[in-house]
Amino acid sequence: MLYEKLAQLYKSLSSTTKRLEKTEILSEFLKETPKEESEIIHLIQGNIYPDYDQRKLGISEQLAIKSISKSFGTTPEKVTQEWKKVGDIGEVAKNLCKTKKQTTLFGSISLTTTKVLDNLQKIPELIGNGTESHKLGIITELLIYAKPIEAKFITRTLIGDMRIGVQESTIKHAILKAFFEGNKDYEPIIQRAIDRTNDLSKIFQISKDEKIEELEKIKLEVGSPIRAMLAAKVSSVEEALKQMGSPLAAEYKYDGFRMLIHKKEGEVTLFTRSLENVTKQFPEIEEYVKEFVKGDSFILDAETIGYDKITKEYTDFQAISQRIRRKHKIEEVMNKLPVELAVFDILFYNGESQIEKPFKERTELVRKIITPHPFKIIPSHMIISSDAEEIKRFYKKALADNQEGLMLKTLDAEYNPGRRVGQMVKLKPEDRDLDLVIIGGEWGTGKRSGWISSYTLACKKDDKYLAVGKVGTGISEKEESGKLTLEQLTNLLKPLIKKEDGKDIEIEPKIIVSVTYQDLQKSTTYKSGYALRFPRITNLREDKPLSEIATQKEIEKAFVGQRVKGIKFG
Ligand code: AMP
């Protein structure tokens, strides 16, 4: 397909905010897209591979600027200046491309989607010396042949900011409309197929034949990058019992990070909840799984928790979070920050998917195949009960054990990957915390100059990020054990800066932090309609994907909740 056709699609998609219109536009486009070109779906998602794939473009802002200046015969300074003025680097590329095209003869060659993908897919493979100039070559080759509208969207793809408002659900509905006449009964079938593959291009390819049975046949496999099931919140044991029925399984809600463990043909692979492969970082877990879990092939859902080597008390997430990133001198950090694996679910076992089975059966299987070795690997701490008082005692025990609270689970529920369902809820004493994404900031002054020292936080509404306030506390100025420093956070945010205006910075939403706050108030200043009062950053959540940050609805619920409890707000 000509890349121009895809660029026109991006343009039409961004011209409307209405979901139905977007679905309609996309469904027409998918009808015309050949089956063999299913990878176009990645491009529509702003990617070059499926979402879970580790091979990302990872183009720095500087490189994007350099590529544009080189391709269109101008200086990086001019591109930066224009970007600041216009606020969209895609638009800058388009404008520069227009001027350039009037003076050269390029443009006679037409770019295809295959050519664009081929070039972009080479980028993550590059390592070692000369990588930067190699990348530059690959990008400029595309830009010099691009038409203005193509330059705009190639550039947006490079920096991962498509601005077309297409989410996974939009693509799902477009597929349903294009190939199954919008038959609502088929929607859960498509959703299940997505859950099992996490690859919309595959779903598109199969759907092209208009045979729903083929989608039904898709099975979970070891190695499939399955997403973790998410939990809704409750504020009391009674609320959970009322909402979910009884008896319930009550488990510790561990203050660690989630790990999905795949074993196949003797090999163990560890993924975080954002489907990042962390096997190298946790060699001891790989060994525990090989030694103490029976079975030839399986997928386990578990939490990795830190503990103090001497006192054997559990520590919090922050204490071990650096282990996710640490890729060298693993032995050293392994001894200093030991971890235990608490397994709470199983999704696949010896050739058979378990996700359709009730939780009770799955948890029994977990207990059957694991030989518990405390401080190495254990099945989760769990009781099954209908008795509110007994569950409350267990809740206290979890808190005394330094854990976050409880997870309450319905015994007969299936596993629903990637969705927040009412069959698993979390109960925590301090409701006043949220995972939010940083979308802006301010350069510090005085002692804090050179650092980004105030951060604008946002929640999510569909595919939009809406501000809920600013935070400047919780991050240390100096290195303290395990604490996030201003310097670290600044370094993480710098490559994501989109626009600067004096001290103010606009940042691409990527870095997620956990934030506690005193209360919420209504606000006309922030787009979410709410403002956090006295917020404080408690953690960096590198393990969480953007899809799991707090939604505007959750914030609204928290606001209503604090009102009900009679807490004063501003
Ligand atoms: P939250 O991140 O607060 O929405 O809570 C969901 C997270 O709790 C999951 O992604 C897990 O990492 C974690 N978790 C801790 N203990 C459990 C448990 N027993 N069952 C399920 N999830 C758990």
Side-chain angles (χ1 to χ4, degrees):
M1 181 188 291
L2 287 179
Y3 186 75
E4 192 180 2
K5 194 161 172 205
L6 181 63
Q8 290 297 349
L9 170 81
Y10 290 137
K11 191 177 164 201
S12 325
L13 287 169
S14 41
S15 70
T16 172
T17 53
K18 296 201 180 88
R19 203 132 298 281
L20 278 178
E21 277 175 29
K22 283 189 199 280
T23 310
E24 179 68 43
I25 295 168
L26 191 53
S27 103
E28 286 307 312
F29 178 86
L30 293 181
K31 278 187 204 163
E32 288 167 32
T33 306
K35 193 173 168 180
E36 304 69 49
E37 295 206 43
S38 64
E39 280 187 308
I40 287 180
I41 302 279
H42 304 322
L43 289 173
I44 295 174
Q45 291 186 288
N47 279 333
I48 49 169
Y49 288 109
D51 231 359
Y52 62 81
D53 202 296
Q54 296 303 296
R55 290 167 296 176
K56 304 281 178 212
L57 269 175
I59 301 292
S60 71
E61 223 175 75
Q62 289 317 315
L63 186 59
I65 292 171
K66 257 195 219 162
S67 312
I68 295 172
S69 59
K70 187 162 176 230
S71 308
F72 304 127
T74 176
T75 61
E77 291 71 30
K78 171 97 173 64
V79 178
T80 313
Q81 207 181 18
E82 284 298 303
W83 190 359
K84 275 188 191 163
K85 206 163 79 194
V86 181
D88 170 10
I89 192 168
E91 206 58 39
V92 175
K94 183 178 129 188
N95 295 342
L96 289 169
C97 183
K98 261 189 207 159
T99 343
K100 169 86 181 169
K101 286 286 133 76
Q102 287 161 5
T103 55
T104 64
L105 290 175
F106 289 123
S108 48
I109 293 177
S110 297
L111 285 177
T112 60
T113 50
T114 314
K115 174 67 184 162
V116 174
L117 255 176
D118 278 354
N119 272 32
L120 297 184
Q121 286 181 339
K122 278 182 205 148
I123 289 175
E125 313 294 336
L126 300 172
I127 38 167
N129 284 346
T131 305
E132 183 92 352
S133 64
H134 209 144
K135 286 185 186 171
L136 194 66
I138 290 173
I139 302 169
T140 46
E141 192 198 1
L142 294 177
L143 291 179
I144 55 172
Y145 289 119
K147 299 191 173 67
I149 184 171
E150 295 175 326
K152 173 171 171 168
F153 289 104
I154 290 172
T155 310
R156 282 193 180 175
T157 307
L158 290 177
I159 62 155
D161 185 17
M162 297 310 290
R163 306 189 184 191
I164 54 170
V166 166
Q167 295 175 298
E168 180 183 292
S169 68
T170 324
I171 302 179
K172 176 181 76 180
H173 283 110
I175 289 177
L176 184 69
K177 190 158 195 327
F179 310 119
F180 303 107
E181 292 164 1
N183 186 338
K184 282 252 171 321
D185 295 344
Y186 291 171
E187 191 189 329
I189 300 173
I190 301 181
Q191 184 62 54
R192 274 170 174 257
I194 297 173
D195 289 345
R196 277 154 188 73
T197 58
N198 259 310
D199 182 350
L200 284 164
S201 72
K202 220 184 231 172
I203 304 301
F204 160 77
Q205 209 171 36
I206 300 172
S207 302
K208 254 323 234 196
D209 294 333
E210 304 185 8
K211 287 197 185 123
I212 198 77
E213 323 80 76
E214 293 303 311
L215 285 178
E216 272 177 310
K217 274 192 210 151
I218 295 181
K219 289 216 171 70
L220 189 65
E221 283 167 28
V222 177
S224 307
I226 190 160
R227 279 178 295 195
M229 179 159 77
L230 307 177
K233 268 186 192 170
V234 286
S235 45
S236 68
V237 173
E238 285 79 6
E239 185 186 340
L241 284 168
K242 195 167 149 221
Q243 190 180 309
M244 302 160 76
S246 61
L248 284 176
E251 289 181 354
Y252 274 20
K253 181 177 187 332
Y254 298 101
D255 189 6
F257 63 90
R258 195 165 206 158
M259 208 178 246
L260 287 141
I261 296 143
H262 291 239
K263 183 179 168 194
K264 190 181 180 180
E265 289 158 9
E267 215 174 286
V268 169
T269 317
L270 313 174
F271 295 101
T272 62
R273 64 201 279 166
S274 41
L275 305 174
E276 186 187 344
N277 187 332
V278 287
T279 319
K280 277 207 189 88
Q281 288 93 308
F282 296 92
E284 76 268 51
I285 293 196
E286 188 182 342
E287 188 193 311
Y288 304 154
V289 172
K290 282 184 179 162
E291 260 187 69
F292 306 126
V293 188
K294 287 188 218 85
D296 296 328
S297 65
F298 47 75
I299 307 175
L300 304 175
D301 198 356
E303 189 90 350
T304 303
I305 333 147
Y307 61 89
D308 186 295
K309 225 165 72 176
I310 297 158
T311 63
K312 290 272 162 46
E313 277 185 4
Y314 286 121
T315 53
D316 61 9
F317 165 73
Q318 184 65 41
I320 55 160
S321 65
Q322 52 173 292
R323 286 211 51 185
I324 307 176
R325 273 169 280 149
R326 181 74 168 251
K327 297 203 176 119
H328 58 277
K329 291 196 190 152
I330 306 271
E331 284 280 319
E332 186 187 299
V333 76
M334 207 168 94
N335 286 327
K336 210 170 102 199
L337 303 170
V339 292
E340 177 186 58
L341 188 77
V343 180
F344 51 75
D345 218 327
I346 184 158
L347 316 186
F348 187 92
Y349 193 67
N350 285 355
E352 207 188 329
S353 165
Q354 302 292 317
I355 60 179
E356 300 80 8
K357 297 195 175 163
F359 175 70
K360 184 153 186 290
E361 269 179 44
R362 301 200 306 271
T363 194
E364 278 165 6
L365 182 58
V366 165
R367 273 141 240 276
K368 209 169 98 190
I369 62 171
I370 295 177
T371 318
H373 283 264
F375 301 105
K376 289 185 173 170
I377 182 169
I378 52 162
S380 58
H381 297 71
M382 182 179 84
I383 59 164
I384 294 181
S385 173
S386 311
D387 178 357
E389 293 313 312
E390 188 186 16
I391 300 176
K392 280 184 205 165
R393 281 195 298 275
F394 191 59
Y395 180 35
K396 278 200 185 129
K397 193 161 166 274
L399 297 176
D401 246 348
N402 287 337
Q403 302 306 340
E404 284 187 347
L406 291 185
M407 277 290 187
L408 300 162
K409 305 179 179 182
T410 323
L411 294 175
D412 57 7
E414 284 188 2
Y415 191 96
N416 284 295
R419 253 157 301 136
R420 219 172 278 283
V421 286
Q423 300 138 340
M424 170 165 102
V425 298
K426 54 190 174 193
L427 176 65
K428 297 199 272 185
E430 183 49 88
D431 229 2
R432 285 150 202 275
D433 64 29
L434 295 166
D435 292 329
L436 299 165
V437 67
I438 297 175
I439 57 162
E442 261 177 47
W443 288 111
T445 49
K447 254 199 332 191
R448 295 186 157 204
S449 87
W451 292 329
I452 304 174
S453 68
S454 162
Y455 312 91
T456 311
L457 302 165
C459 60
K460 213 167 69 112
K461 185 181 183 200
D462 303 323
D463 58 344
K464 290 197 187 70
Y465 298 99
L466 308 177
V468 273
K470 284 188 178 168
V471 62
T473 50
I475 319 119
S476 39
E477 285 174 12
K478 288 187 236 82
E479 195 85 41
E480 280 174 64
S481 71
K483 275 200 107 187
L484 181 65
T485 62
L486 275 173
E487 189 178 346
Q488 283 166 339
L489 195 50
T490 303
N491 289 339
L492 286 172
L493 294 170
K494 258 189 184 165
L496 303 170
I497 295 178
K498 288 205 300 206
K499 203 173 150 188
E500 284 184 51
D501 184 6
K503 274 193 327 196
D504 293 329
I505 318 166
E506 205 179 293
I507 296 171
E508 188 183 325
K510 185 153 184 207
I511 302 298
I512 300 168
V513 286
S514 291
V515 175
T516 59
Y517 59 93
Q518 200 178 76
D519 47 46
L520 283 161
Q521 57 187 169
K522 285 241 181 211
S523 160
T524 47
T525 316
Y526 297 115
K527 284 221 173 98
S528 65
Y530 296 95
L532 300 170
R533 293 214 326 150
F534 306 114
R536 182 182 179 80
I537 295 184
T538 55
N539 275 324
L540 184 65
R541 295 299 320 209
E542 282 177 297
D543 57 321
K544 280 209 170 186
L546 269 176
S547 56
E548 289 182 26
I549 65 166
T551 58
Q552 190 198 31
K553 247 204 193 117
E554 279 166 348
I555 291 181
E556 202 169 272
K557 200 173 155 209
F559 176 75
V560 174
Q562 80 188 17
R563 246 179 163 167
V564 170
K565 285 180 204 145
I567 293 161
K568 277 201 205 105
F569 53 92

